[in-house]
Amino acid sequence: ASMLLKRLKVDDVVDAFAVHGACGLWGLLAAGLFGDRDHGYGDGAFYGYGGAQLGTQIVAAIVITLWVGPLSAIIFFPLKMLGALRLSDEFQDKGADIMEHSPSKAYGQGAQAAAGLQAAGLQAEASSAPAEAINEAYGQGAQAAAG
């Protein structure tokens, strides 16, 4: 599914459709193929139970697609028109981790992270502090909450 999306030039950076859509569909259909009554997993076609279970799973796949497709379009089409589905070129070039998630704070690297930000061509935030100061601040906060 991931390679198909690339060939169709569909922008799915995290392979959300391949992981959730295609694999979910396979899981749905696999129950109709491999389900074994003796193990409590349905009536799979490969275990001689006929195709009734597989037919049910196919109908379920169609119903789910007809439900999810239009609802997704209702959500994503306006977001696309507003330009809210993509990060700016600057975010993509520098990386969302640096631009959005404050790695200097998140990873407690303080001065090291500030140097990394400067090496990436970014200005470190004025509130960046060495890891010891961050740990001390969190330790005091935890003690105050416990006391």
Side-chain angles (χ1 to χ4, degrees):
S2 182
M3 289 188 285
L4 176 64
L5 290 178
K6 286 178 185 171
R7 284 185 187 209
L8 295 174
K9 298 186 187 221
V10 173
D11 186 17
D12 185 3
V13 193
V14 294
D15 278 340
F17 175 78
V19 171
H20 299 285
C23 291
L25 178 64
W26 167 244
L28 189 66
L29 297 177
L33 295 170
F34 302 106
D36 186 6
R37 210 180 278 177
D38 295 337
H39 292 97
Y41 296 116
D43 300 333
F46 293 157
Y47 283 90
Y49 298 116
Q53 180 71 41
L54 181 59
T56 301
Q57 301 302 108
I58 290 171
V59 169
I62 292 168
V63 168
I64 290 168
T65 302
L66 291 174
W67 176 260
V68 170
L71 288 179
S72 295
I74 289 169
I75 299 293
F76 289 118
F77 185 72
L79 290 173
K80 182 179 179 182
M81 293 296 105
L82 292 171
L85 286 180
R86 296 198 50 94
L87 295 173
S88 70
D89 288 339
E90 180 184 14
F91 263 73
Q92 291 182 51
D93 290 341
K94 293 180 180 175
D97 202 27
I98 289 174
M99 297 291 290
E100 184 74 20
H101 302 296
S102 292
S104 63
K105 294 177 186 173
Y107 304 124
Q109 297 170 343
Q112 284 181 323
L117 289 171
Q118 289 170 350
L122 300 171
Q123 183 64 35
E125 293 180 20
S127 63
S128 293
E132 296 82 24
I134 293 171
N135 291 336
E136 183 180 324
Y138 282 119
Q140 289 174 353
Q143 290 172 354

